[in-house]
Amino acid sequence: MQRTNMPQSCITILQLLERTGSQTHKDIVLGTGLAPRTVRYALRRLKENGLIIEKFNFRDARQAIYQPKMSAVAQRAASA
C-alpha cells in the first residue's frame, strides 16, 4: 500500500512503531494522542496491508503487541 493511500492516523502510528518498536494498543493511544477507536481502525488497516505484525503479549494476554514489519521499514526508507 502506498503511503499516499493511507489515512494520516496510519502514517502516524507506523512512524511511532518505527521509532519505538513494539507497542500495545494502549501505548499507541498514549504515544500518538489519537482516540482509541481511531487507533483500532488504523491498526486494522496497517495489518491488512502487511505493514505491521500483531504478536501475542506474554506479559498481558489481554493486549496484543504491534510492531512494524521489517519489509515495511525498508520500503519506507527506500521511498524517502
Side-chain angles (χ1 to χ4, degrees):
M1 177 179 214
Q2 296 286 335
R3 179 181 175 161
T4 56
N5 295 340
M6 287 192 286
Q8 184 60 43
S9 59
C10 291
I11 295 169
T12 301
I13 291 170
L14 191 57
Q15 289 173 344
L16 174 75
L17 292 174
E18 288 172 349
R19 275 194 326 270
T20 61
S22 300
Q23 299 279 320
T24 64
H25 175 269
K26 185 177 179 180
D27 294 333
I28 295 169
V29 169
L30 293 173
T32 61
L34 297 170
R37 182 178 177 180
T38 302
V39 171
R40 276 193 303 276
Y41 171 76
L43 288 171
R44 184 170 33 106
R45 292 273 312 259
L46 290 167
K47 206 166 65 169
E48 288 171 353
N49 288 286
L51 297 173
I52 63 170
I53 299 169
E54 181 178 0
K55 296 178 109 179
F56 183 78
N57 185 350
F58 289 100
R59 293 178 129 183
D60 184 356
R62 296 170 294 174
Q63 294 189 46
I65 295 177
Y66 301 93
Q67 69 182 53
K69 257 190 171 176
M70 292 311 289
S71 60
V73 175
Q75 180 185 17
R76 286 183 44 104
S79 66

